[in-house]
């Protein structure tokens, strides 16, 4: 396997990792705000802040990691995406900045400020929306290249149903993933009232998630025939994804084994996300950038893979330690430690 | 003069980095202070030091949050605002950028664990051990990112062919000739600034509320660190000057207003230039520049006139350089004076004037960091990769960058104000002495505190 293929696979895996951890985080922010509005915050706020406080920084790193990785392995992406995404990218940066710092202000600094909570909740939905623009761009047709200048065709972007369905999908899946994770966390904490609330959120958001996933898929077929056909060839991955979704729904509905239900949801997104990614091969940005044409020099690719393996040897044990201390330590989750 | 997109791009990046460097310096410097305080607290069984570690880490996490988000901003701006730069240089600098993220990842993981496991372990040393990956991660991310800056000053480890970098050797690019002096100077000044800040806070509190045991210990400890790192930082500055003289003479010449190549060159302090580029009202130290640059009073120093007009850095950097170096020496003098008073019993080291000067040294240290970075960056103009790519070839051509400048400006103003307000609230309403009393009362049933953040 060539290093650029290893590179893109690993990066895609990291993007998937970010999708899961960030969804939990983004959704939790919104759910906390929503619970405050509906006066149910006493049920879940402690739960959310207990999980999020030790890990919020890690979530952010996942994103930077993916981003630095992709411009490292494929410097051309920096040129095209960088030029085209100047505005949406900067907006995402500003939202991330507001969110990250206000989380810290709220949780480590002063307590119980509704403005902070609103900013935290609202940005939690706006960030996935603004980040998903990059995904839409990769389908091609939204970037105009005139001589030396690369720019984004906003009109095409805003009038295209594909971009809106991707934005919608990003938002509802954030809420779905987050709700089901927090239901699992609440069940570990044996916090029954929070569990009930979170289970309802998860069940509620499951329907729009699957509907919008289908819608986005259909619009993708109209927008990018090649990508659609490639994904159809991977029909078994998509079928697996739907199967995992059904199992997760059945488990959530029966109200047992929330851990397994969350794993099924992770697998559901894993299958769909990889079917999407493999189907896009060999393009990173249709039709300007392919994986082969934009790869960095072989020596740099090799160095990056080496550093990557070395880094993982440090990271994985540390992440396991975090999980042991804050996620699977029953006493901590219940609030006794 | 109309401001074009290139200048707006420079302004956006300069502003982001100027804001980020405050919090990045916190981020590198403070963990070491926390680690030192906690270790002394455990060894001496003195709860004052443990409280110091707790209070500092509480303030630290607020500043880290701002550091993280502005760091994310700058890493994205690299591609958003300088797409051509990343397209060309991405082939060479991807490795250190990637390693920087790993180091930061590592730090983030252990910072989360550290904050939430006070008193969770029976052996206090285990909790202290968690500070090691934090200090190391913070230091290493500074090292890696500084190698990128070193590369932009002294490009190395590639062959240029038809506008592309080929035959790339990423490790050689990282270990370019600028790296050592830069890393040394960045680390020593970050630790110096962190200590100066904490010493300044202790001095300021004692000025307002009188001397207390807690603050006296904090001041003593931090002044010792200031003294140590002032010495190292002076050495690092000297190493940097010698590096510049050899490899980047135009930067040193611009900083010193040294126009004509000559041996036994004078060092010029302050002053100003008239229309004919003659220096007025400056203090000349004969032959000192030659000594500074080569360790020899009669060595020949290259002047600015050796370089074509369009490759000369702006002459304004002279003031930035003087200010940075002046503050560096002032910090060394202040810490030296403090310990002179401590050991010479006739003088009280906690007298009002000395405390005032120490309190003032905290903002001065940050000013020096800013001035140093502005000198290093403006002194490299007009190049973005010295000798290979000019700044105007690298910037985005999108006119939207002007609007973004104001958006980011607004963001940093809000973040800066909020950060100060939150920190004030965190410490103002909860003085150390009060917390100490509460803490001692609670000590018998300490288990209630387990796993909670240190508040």
């Amino acid at each position: 396997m060539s290093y650029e293929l290893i590179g893109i696979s690993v990066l895609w895996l990291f993007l998937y990792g970010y999708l899961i951890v960030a969804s939990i985080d983004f959704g939790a922010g919104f759910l906390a705000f929503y619970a405050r509005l509906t006066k149910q915050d006493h049920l879940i706020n402690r739960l959310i802040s207990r999980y999020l406080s030790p890990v919020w920084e890690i979530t952010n790193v996942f994103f930077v990691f993916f981003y630095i990785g992709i411009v490292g392995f494929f410097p051309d992406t920096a040129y095209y995406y960088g030029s085209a995404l100047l505005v949406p990218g900067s907006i995402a940066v500003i939202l991330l900045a507001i969110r990250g710092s206000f989380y810290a202000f709220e949780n480590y600094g002063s307590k119980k400020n509704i403005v902070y909570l609103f900013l935290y909740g609202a940005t939690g939905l706006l960030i996935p929306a603004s980040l998903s623009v990059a995904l839409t761009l990769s389908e091609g047709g939204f970037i105009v290249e005139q001589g030396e200048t690369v720019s984004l065709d906003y009109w095409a972007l805003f009038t295209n149903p594909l971009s809106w369905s991707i934005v919608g999908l990003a938002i509802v899946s954030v809420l779905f993933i987050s709700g089901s994770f927090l239901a699992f966390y609440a069940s570990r904490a044996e916090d029954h009232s929070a569990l009930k609330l979170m289970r309802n959120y998860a069940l509620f958001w499951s329907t729009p998630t699957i509907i919008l996933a289908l819608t986005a898929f259909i619009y993708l077929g109209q927008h990018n025939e090649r990508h659609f056909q490639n994904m159809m060839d991977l029909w078994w991955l998509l079928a697996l994804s739907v199967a995992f979704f059904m199992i997760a729904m059945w488990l959530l509905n029966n109200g047992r084994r929330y851990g397994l239900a969350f794993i099924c949801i992770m697998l559901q997104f894993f299958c769909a996300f990889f079917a999407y990614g493999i189907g896009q091969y060999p393009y990173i940005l249709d039709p300007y950038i392919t994986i082969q044409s934009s790869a960095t020099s072989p020596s740099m690719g090799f160095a990056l893979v080496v550093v990557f393996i070395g880094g993982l040897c440090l990271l994985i044990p540390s992440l396991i330690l975090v999980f042991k201390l804050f996620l699977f330590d029953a006493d901590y989750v219940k609030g006794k430690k | 003069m109309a401001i074009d997109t290139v200048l707006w791009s420079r302004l956006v990046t300069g502003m982001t980095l100027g804001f980020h460097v405050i919090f990045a310096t916190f981020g590198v410097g403070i963990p070491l202070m926390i680690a030192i305080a906690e270790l002394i607290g455990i060894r001496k069984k003195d709860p004052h030091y443990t409280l110091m570690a707790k209070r500092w880490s509480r303030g630290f996490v607020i500043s880290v949050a701002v550091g993280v988000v502005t760091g994310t901003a700058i890493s994205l701006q690299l591609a958003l605002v300088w797409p051509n730069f990343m397209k060309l240089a991405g082939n060479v600098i991807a490795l250190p950028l990637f390693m920087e993220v790993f180091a930061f990842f590592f730090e983030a993981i252990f910072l989360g664990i550290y904050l939430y496991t006070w008193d969770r372990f029976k052996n206090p040393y285990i909790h202290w051990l968690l500070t090691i990956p934090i200090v190391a991660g913070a230091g290493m991310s500074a090292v890696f990112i500084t190698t990128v800056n070193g590369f932009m000053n002294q490009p190395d480890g590639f062959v240029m062919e038809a506008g592309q970098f080929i035959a790339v050797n990423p490790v050689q690019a990282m270990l370019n000739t600028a790296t050592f002096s830069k890393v040394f100077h960045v680390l020593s000044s970050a630790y110096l600034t962190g200590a100066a800040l904490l010493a300044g806070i202790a001095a300021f509190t004692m000025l307002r509320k009188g001397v207390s045991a807690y603050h006296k210990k904090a001041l003593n400890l931090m002044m010792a660190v200031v003294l140590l790192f002032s010495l190292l930082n002076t050495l690092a500055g000297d190493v940097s000057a010698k590096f510049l003289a050899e490899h980047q003479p135009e930067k040193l010449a611009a900083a010193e207003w040294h126009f004509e190549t000559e041996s036994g060159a004078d060092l010029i302090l302050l002053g100003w230039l008239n229309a004919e580029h003659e220096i007025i009202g400056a203090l000349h130290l004969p032959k000192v520049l030659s000594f500074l640059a080569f360790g020899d009073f009669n060595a020949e120093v290259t002047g600015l006139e050796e370089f074509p007009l369009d490759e000369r850095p702006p002459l304004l950097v002279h003031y930035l350089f003087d200010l940075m170096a002046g503050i560096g020496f002032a910090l060394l003098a202040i810490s030296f004076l403090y310990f002179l008073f401590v050991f010479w019993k006739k003088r009280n080291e906690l007298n009002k004037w000395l405390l005032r000067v120490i309190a003032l040294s905290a903002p001065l240290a940050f000013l020096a960091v800013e001035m140093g970075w502005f000198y290093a960056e403006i002194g490299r103009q007009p190049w973005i990769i010295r000798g290979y790519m000019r700044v105007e070839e690298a910037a985005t051509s999108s006119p939207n960058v002007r609007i973004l400048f104001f958006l980011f400006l607004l963001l940093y103003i809000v973040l800066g104000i909020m950060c100060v307000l939150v920190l004030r609230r965190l410490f103002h309403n909860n003085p150390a002495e009060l917390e100490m009393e509460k803490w001692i009362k609670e000590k018998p049933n300490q288990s209630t505190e387990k796993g909670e953040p240190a508040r």
Side-chain angles (χ1 to χ4, degrees):
Chain A
M1 202 151 112
S2 56
Y3 70 87
E4 63 259 27
L5 211 55
I6 299 179
I8 196 71
S9 314
V10 163
L11 290 174
W12 200 244
L13 201 66
F14 254 85
L15 191 60
Y16 166 75
Y18 180 65
L19 183 114
I20 296 294
V21 290
S23 293
I24 295 174
D25 183 10
F26 291 148
F30 180 77
L31 293 176
F33 175 65
Y34 178 75
R36 174 76 164 265
L37 283 186
T38 52
K39 305 240 183 314
Q40 288 170 310
D41 49 333
H42 56 285
L43 293 177
I44 56 162
N45 271 2
R46 222 177 63 92
L47 190 75
I48 290 175
S49 70
R50 233 176 144 65
Y51 163 75
L52 282 183
S53 300
V55 301
W56 70 271
E57 241 192 303
I58 301 176
T59 312
N60 208 31
V61 190
F62 263 93
F63 175 61
V64 180
F65 197 98
F66 168 76
Y67 160 77
I68 293 289
I70 200 152
V71 297
F73 274 102
F74 310 102
D76 281 5
T77 56
Y79 176 67
Y80 280 98
Y81 281 109
S83 305
L85 285 175
L86 180 66
V87 173
S90 297
I91 290 173
V93 169
I94 289 173
L95 292 173
L96 278 169
I98 292 174
R99 182 181 166 79
S101 43
F102 277 66
Y103 180 78
F105 294 161
E106 156 102 9
N107 274 276
Y108 307 110
S110 68
K111 284 261 138 186
K112 306 269 174 286
N113 189 325
I114 185 89
V115 180
Y116 293 0
L117 199 62
F118 168 73
L119 285 173
Y120 188 62
T123 51
L125 294 188
L126 291 174
I127 293 169
S130 63
L131 288 181
S132 66
V133 172
L135 220 53
T136 316
L137 280 195
S138 74
E139 296 302 331
F142 302 110
I143 286 184
V144 193
E145 195 176 20
Q146 286 168 322
E148 290 283 286
T149 320
V150 172
S151 56
L152 186 58
D153 185 349
Y154 287 98
W155 177 249
L157 186 72
F158 285 125
T159 53
N160 195 309
L162 175 67
S163 45
W164 289 109
S165 54
I166 288 182
V167 165
L169 179 61
I171 292 175
V172 292
S173 41
V174 156
L175 292 169
F176 176 50
I177 294 175
S178 182
S180 51
F181 174 81
L182 289 170
F184 155 66
Y185 203 66
S187 80
R188 282 206 58 97
E190 291 170 17
D191 184 344
H192 297 289
S193 47
L195 173 62
K196 198 166 152 251
L197 191 65
M198 280 305 152
R199 181 170 155 258
N200 285 341
Y201 285 153
L203 284 171
F204 177 79
W205 289 109
S206 65
T207 322
T209 302
I210 204 78
I211 292 174
L212 276 167
L214 274 174
T215 319
F217 191 56
I218 292 164
Y219 282 125
L220 179 68
Q222 290 178 3
H223 187 82
N224 189 334
E225 182 70 21
R226 181 195 59 81
H227 194 177
F228 183 75
Q229 273 309 323
N230 286 348
M231 279 178 82
M232 286 308 268
D233 292 342
L234 293 163
W235 62 271
W236 53 275
L237 262 178
L238 298 173
L240 264 179
S241 171
V242 175
F244 280 122
F245 174 72
M246 309 277 247
I247 299 174
M249 280 305 96
W250 184 75
L251 286 169
L252 276 179
N253 218 6
N254 283 347
R256 271 182 302 134
R257 322 240 3 221
Y258 290 97
L260 192 62
F262 184 67
I263 288 173
C264 284
I265 290 168
M266 279 173 70
L267 289 172
Q268 173 209 336
F269 278 91
F270 185 86
C271 293
F273 196 65
F274 270 76
Y276 179 88
I278 299 169
Q280 181 70 310
Y281 182 85
Y283 288 104
I284 297 180
L285 173 63
D286 205 347
Y288 299 106
I289 314 178
T290 66
I291 285 174
Q292 286 79 10
S293 73
S294 65
T296 182
S297 61
S299 53
M300 175 56 89
F302 176 73
L304 287 177
V305 172
V306 169
V307 166
F308 192 81
I309 293 168
L312 282 190
C313 294
L314 277 177
L315 276 190
I316 291 173
S318 335
L319 281 174
I320 290 175
L321 184 64
V322 170
F323 285 147
K324 267 187 71 156
L325 285 170
F326 299 115
L327 197 53
F328 296 113
D329 187 319
D331 284 343
Y332 173 81
V333 179
K334 285 174 196 161
K336 287 181 188 155
K337 263 190 183 173
Chain B
M1 187 185 77
I3 303 185
D4 58 357
T5 53
V6 176
L7 187 53
W8 280 117
S9 304
R10 290 170 61 183
L11 289 174
V12 168
T13 311
M15 177 177 68
T16 303
L17 278 171
F19 189 69
H20 176 66
V21 79
I22 298 173
F23 297 92
T25 307
F26 267 131
V28 175
I30 307 286
L32 182 70
M33 312 307 145
I34 295 174
I36 294 174
E38 192 181 3
L39 182 64
I40 295 179
I42 297 171
R43 290 193 68 95
K44 283 191 174 173
K45 294 200 168 52
D46 184 338
H48 273 137
Y49 289 99
T50 314
L51 185 66
M52 252 175 244
K54 278 197 180 193
R55 285 173 70 91
W56 291 346
S57 57
R58 227 179 298 155
F60 175 64
V61 73
I62 302 283
S63 73
V64 160
V66 183
V68 168
V69 298
T70 51
T72 310
I74 191 65
S75 75
L76 270 105
Q77 277 181 3
L78 268 185
L80 295 174
V81 182
W82 307 97
N84 297 301
F85 164 72
M86 277 310 278
K87 190 185 180 187
L88 179 67
N91 289 301
V92 192
I93 59 170
L95 184 72
L97 287 177
F98 208 51
M99 288 164 91
E100 199 265 340
V101 182
F102 263 118
F104 170 41
F105 213 143
F106 204 53
E107 182 195 350
I109 288 174
F110 282 93
L111 183 64
I113 299 178
Y114 181 79
L115 290 174
Y116 284 82
T117 53
W118 286 96
D119 302 320
R120 198 161 157 182
F121 305 105
K122 284 214 173 66
N123 183 347
Y125 283 104
I126 294 182
H127 186 254
W128 176 76
L129 281 178
L130 290 171
T131 59
I132 293 176
I134 301 174
V135 174
M140 288 317 284
S141 48
V143 170
F144 292 134
I145 211 67
T146 308
T147 68
V148 175
N149 188 265
F151 170 81
M152 291 160 80
N153 281 283
Q154 287 296 116
D156 202 352
F158 61 85
V159 177
M160 183 95 166
E161 211 179 88
Q164 288 290 324
F165 290 158
I166 57 164
V168 173
N169 180 346
V171 178
Q172 199 190 334
M174 275 177 73
L175 302 177
N176 57 71
T177 42
T179 290
F180 172 73
S181 56
K182 276 192 178 279
V183 164
F184 184 20
H185 205 10
V186 165
L187 284 182
S188 62
S189 61
Y191 294 133
L192 168 61
T193 309
L197 173 74
L198 295 171
I201 292 173
F204 186 70
T205 316
M206 282 197 276
L207 276 174
R208 291 193 50 188
K209 298 184 177 166
V211 176
S212 74
Y214 170 88
H215 287 111
K216 207 173 149 182
K217 283 175 190 170
L219 184 66
N220 228 355
L221 180 62
M222 283 302 106
M223 287 312 280
V225 180
V226 169
L227 182 62
L228 174 69
F229 281 104
S230 284
L231 287 169
L232 284 175
N233 196 38
T234 311
L235 180 64
D238 185 54
V239 171
S240 301
K242 290 192 168 46
F243 158 79
L244 286 182
E246 196 180 333
H247 296 282
Q248 264 182 298
E250 79 278 16
K251 197 191 255 185
L252 188 69
E256 287 306 330
W257 288 348
H258 181 64
F259 297 107
E260 281 163 46
T261 304
E262 60 179 350
S263 34
D266 293 358
L267 184 77
I268 293 162
L269 290 178
L270 296 170
W272 64 90
L273 290 172
N274 67 10
E276 284 86 43
H277 270 197
E278 283 157 0
I279 301 160
I280 302 172
L283 193 62
H284 291 253
L285 301 179
K287 297 192 179 188
V288 172
L289 181 60
S290 288
F291 182 74
L292 189 76
F294 295 101
D296 169 5
F297 284 108
N298 291 313
E300 188 182 86
V301 183
T302 316
L304 207 53
E305 286 176 355
E306 307 273 325
F307 298 91
L309 260 179
D310 66 341
E311 286 182 18
R312 289 184 199 170
L315 291 171
L316 161 102
V317 294
H318 175 66
Y319 298 107
L320 303 177
F321 181 85
D322 278 6
L323 208 55
M324 169 192 75
I327 292 173
F329 281 110
L331 289 180
L332 180 63
I334 292 166
S335 55
F336 189 73
L337 200 67
Y338 176 83
F339 283 103
L340 200 69
F341 280 14
V342 170
F343 291 109
W344 182 34
K345 297 288 176 198
K346 277 184 195 166
R347 288 278 179 181
N348 179 12
E349 75 271 17
L350 299 175
N351 76 60
K352 277 225 155 99
W353 278 105
L354 194 56
L355 285 182
R356 271 176 205 154
V357 174
I358 292 173
L360 191 67
S361 71
L364 281 182
F366 278 98
L367 186 67
V369 170
E370 292 277 358
M371 292 301 122
W373 271 114
F374 274 106
Y375 161 56
E377 295 309 288
I378 297 175
R380 175 160 57 95
Q381 302 299 322
W383 302 107
I384 190 162
I385 308 174
R386 185 169 165 267
Y388 291 92
M389 192 182 219
R390 282 170 168 270
V391 168
E392 62 266 22
E393 297 168 304
T396 183
S397 50
S398 168
N400 292 324
V401 70
R402 184 172 49 132
I403 307 159
L404 291 173
F405 173 82
F406 292 102
L407 265 182
F408 276 104
L409 179 66
L410 189 69
L411 173 74
Y412 300 141
I413 291 174
V414 170
L415 285 187
I417 292 175
M418 291 302 306
C419 187
V420 171
L421 286 182
V422 168
L423 283 175
R424 256 185 71 94
R425 188 176 298 176
L426 202 59
F427 293 106
H428 207 68
N429 304 335
N430 187 17
E433 297 72 35
L434 206 74
E435 197 176 343
M436 196 75 229
E437 276 172 33
K438 255 196 278 177
W439 199 31
I440 287 167
K441 260 185 224 158
E442 282 172 8
K443 217 153 192 198
N445 48 354
Q446 218 178 31
S447 57
T448 51
E449 225 192 328
K450 274 186 182 175
E452 289 297 324
R455 64 173 83 247

